[in-house]
């Protein structure tokens, strides 16, 4: 019997795995150079499995959402790997007990992202259920315009990329920006630029020092904030050259 909390809905399952991979690779309690998965007593092989699963499923997420474009083979690949993930993570006889390890060694936030209630304090706070969607949702950022001195970025829900409204329970899609000649190595280099309205945010580059000869680039990522002030998972980073 499986004891896993991976959602039954395929798109939600993929988003769950992406969020779990982001979390397990984030900085652990030992500081820079350590990872969350070590706090949970996962092995490097178990960590690598989750990352490899994410690399298989994430590129197929949009295709699966648009059922007209996905092939039968791709659909089977998605379903097969999610099924294997359930077995790997928590099968009663052969599983690696990944989620049970998070329940035993994780924090309150870890439990929320991993959707773990049984045996944790979350089991006693049913009102916290909506925060699970916050923890799992990652906005999808796309550069839609790049003109002299400005850019436009669309911010869409991963569950409904064509819909401009915020997902249920979300107050803002916060957009962070970094400017430089090389890609930042840490999110510490990003600062909040603003909140996307109606699925878009207009970015201007007034006051930049253009005396150098190297090209300047802008990097962006987004994150949802719920009506309760909870922050979700950061989106992927997008970038473009600043035109002047």
């Amino acid at each position: 019997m499986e004891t896993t909390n991976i959602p039954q809905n395929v798109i939600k399952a993929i988003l769950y795995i992406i969020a779990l991979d982001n979390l397990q690779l984030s900085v652990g309690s030992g500081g820079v150079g350590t990872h969350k998965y070590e706090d949970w007593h996962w092995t490097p092989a178990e960590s690598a499995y989750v990352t490899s699963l994410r690399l298989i499923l994430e590129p197929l997420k949009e295709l699966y959402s648009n059922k007209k474009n996905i092939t039968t083979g791709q659909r089977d690949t998605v379903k097969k790997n999610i099924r294997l993930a359930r077995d790997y993570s928590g099968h009663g006889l052969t599983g690696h007990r990944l989620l049970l390890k998070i329940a035993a060694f994780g924090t309150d936030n870890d439990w929320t992202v991993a959707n773990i209630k049984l045996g944790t304090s979350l089991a006693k706070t049913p009102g916290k259920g909506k925060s699970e969607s916050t923890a799992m949702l990652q906005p999808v950022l796309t550069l839609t315009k790049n003109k002299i001195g400005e850019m436009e970025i669309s911010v869409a829900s991963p569950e409904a990329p064509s819909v401009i409204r915020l997902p249920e329970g979300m107050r803002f899609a916060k957009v962070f920006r970094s400017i430089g000649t090389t890609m930042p190595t840490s999110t510490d280099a990003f600062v909040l630029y603003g909140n996307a309205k109606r699925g878009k945010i207009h970015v201007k580059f007034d006051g930049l020092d253009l005396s150098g000869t190297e090209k300047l680039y802008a990097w962006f990522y987004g994150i949802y904030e719920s009506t309760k002030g909870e922050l979700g998972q950061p989106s992927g980073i997008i970038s473009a050259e600043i035109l002047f």
Side-chain angles (χ1 to χ4, degrees), residues 6-230:
I6 299 174
Q8 293 299 317
N9 177 277
V10 170
I11 297 300
K12 289 182 178 180
I14 295 174
L15 292 171
Y16 175 95
I17 290 163
I18 293 171
L20 185 62
D21 187 50
N22 285 337
L23 181 64
Q24 66 115 351
L25 294 177
S26 63
V27 177
S29 60
V32 176
T34 67
H35 300 90
K36 272 279 187 182
Y37 77 81
E38 297 169 301
D39 293 345
W40 303 334
H41 294 213
W42 284 13
T43 67
E46 289 169 340
S47 167
Y49 171 77
V50 174
T51 298
S52 67
L53 182 66
R54 185 244 186 95
L55 292 175
I56 292 169
L57 295 177
E58 188 170 19
L60 296 174
K61 178 171 68 70
E62 294 304 323
L63 285 176
Y64 202 97
S65 299
N66 188 348
K67 299 186 186 331
K68 293 181 181 179
N69 293 334
I70 194 167
T71 66
T72 300
Q74 290 169 327
R75 187 188 302 275
D76 290 345
T77 295
V78 170
K79 290 184 176 180
K80 175 185 175 182
N81 277 280
I82 291 175
R83 183 175 67 251
L84 291 174
R86 291 193 176 99
D87 285 347
Y88 187 96
S89 300
H91 192 279
L93 296 176
T94 61
H96 287 236
R97 310 294 199 277
L98 296 188
L99 301 181
L100 291 179
K101 291 178 182 179
I102 299 176
F105 302 108
T107 65
D108 184 280
N109 179 68
D110 300 341
W111 299 334
T112 299
V113 174
N115 193 23
I116 295 170
K117 293 189 177 72
L118 188 62
T120 74
S121 62
L122 302 191
K124 300 177 182 179
T125 54
K128 203 162 185 175
K130 285 191 176 180
S131 69
E132 294 164 11
S133 61
T134 309
M136 289 169 57
L137 280 177
Q138 293 174 285
V140 177
L141 271 60
T142 305
L143 181 70
T144 51
K145 290 182 184 177
N146 189 8
K147 303 191 298 185
I148 301 297
E150 63 180 288
M151 296 179 187
E152 181 183 88
I153 296 170
S154 73
V155 183
S157 164
E159 296 178 328
S162 62
V163 177
I164 62 172
R165 67 174 180 272
L166 290 166
E168 183 179 356
M170 301 301 110
R171 177 185 288 125
F172 299 122
K174 307 170 83 69
V175 176
F176 293 78
R177 182 181 77 174
S178 179
I179 295 174
T181 57
T182 58
M183 183 173 179
T185 58
S186 167
T187 55
D188 292 341
F190 289 78
V191 296
L192 177 64
Y193 183 82
N195 299 320
K197 298 179 180 179
R198 295 189 61 80
K200 293 182 180 180
I201 186 167
H202 296 273
V203 181
K204 294 189 178 295
F205 299 96
D206 301 331
L208 283 182
D209 181 6
L210 304 175
S211 58
T213 57
E214 292 187 89
K215 294 180 180 179
L216 282 178
Y217 296 85
W219 287 266
F220 302 91
Y221 75 86
I223 192 168
Y224 283 126
E225 179 179 328
S226 76
T227 54
K228 295 181 179 180
E230 300 161 328

